[in-house]
Amino acid sequence: MTNRLEIPNAEWRRVSPRYVVVDFVGTLVFAIVACAVTSIPAVLTGNAVLWAIPASLAVIFVITLALTPRRVRSIGYQLRDDDLLFRRGLMFQRFVAVPYGRMQLVDINRGPLDRAVGLSELKLVTAAAATGVVIPGLVASDAEELRDRLVELAESRRAGL
């Protein structure tokens, strides 16, 4: 039985390994805040049973943090003849093909953690909300080069409509 999600003869471009740091720190900060907030009822009431909520969250976040490097390695994209193909996910894999002619906006974002390690996030917007793609963890120069290439391809494809 063949895996229909695997693309034959495909060379996937991956995000920077430095993105692991950005994803890890972002998840860690969220985990600390979530565990702190959910422990407030246990502290205020003194009910020991309520400690199960932040403890359960802590276990989930530890597993999430342990899987972060593998999750980041699963992110990839390829520039094909007519579209950009994007993939991500371990258990729940997502493959999105965005035709060049449908791209309306190609945007680069750099958050504080991204800037600290020299990375950018490329966002592709189309008319259909479900096909919007965000490629995180690109080296800043690669993101700018990819943006320019995608804009060029999008303009050439729209001209033919």
Side-chain angles (χ1 to χ4, degrees):
M1 182 174 172
T2 62
N3 185 352
R4 293 182 55 160
L5 292 179
E6 287 302 319
I7 310 298
N9 302 323
E11 183 179 334
W12 290 97
R13 296 180 188 184
R14 302 199 187 241
V15 299
S16 171
R18 292 181 286 179
Y19 183 63
V20 172
V21 173
V22 174
D23 197 16
F24 190 89
V25 170
T27 303
L28 184 62
V29 168
F30 180 72
I32 291 169
V33 170
C35 289
V37 168
T38 56
S39 65
I40 291 173
V43 171
L44 293 177
T45 63
N47 188 346
V49 174
L50 292 177
W51 284 107
I53 297 169
S56 300
L57 276 178
V59 169
I60 291 169
F61 283 122
V62 165
I63 293 169
T64 301
L65 290 170
L67 292 175
T68 296
R70 179 64 186 102
R71 227 182 20 207
V72 168
R73 283 193 308 271
S74 75
I75 301 170
Y77 68 95
Q78 19 173 308
L79 297 173
R80 301 192 305 180
D81 291 337
D82 296 321
D83 57 14
L84 176 130
L85 185 62
F86 174 75
R87 74 168 186 194
R88 81 176 316 152
L90 293 174
M91 282 182 56
F92 301 98
Q93 293 181 337
R94 180 179 184 211
F95 286 79
V96 180
V98 182
Y100 298 129
R102 303 276 183 195
M103 291 181 194
Q104 295 181 338
L105 174 71
V106 182
D107 189 20
I108 294 178
N109 296 315
R110 293 182 181 109
L113 286 174
D114 291 321
R115 281 194 310 269
V117 294
L119 298 178
S120 298
E121 174 181 274
L122 189 83
K123 181 178 180 182
L124 309 169
V125 178
T126 65
T131 59
V133 170
V134 176
I135 304 174
L138 296 173
V139 175
S141 60
D142 292 346
E144 291 170 6
E145 184 180 309
L146 181 59
R147 176 199 58 205
D148 295 342
R149 177 78 176 127
L150 290 173
V151 168
E152 176 186 315
L153 287 167
E155 287 175 354
S156 70
R157 296 305 195 275
R158 277 197 300 264
L161 292 178

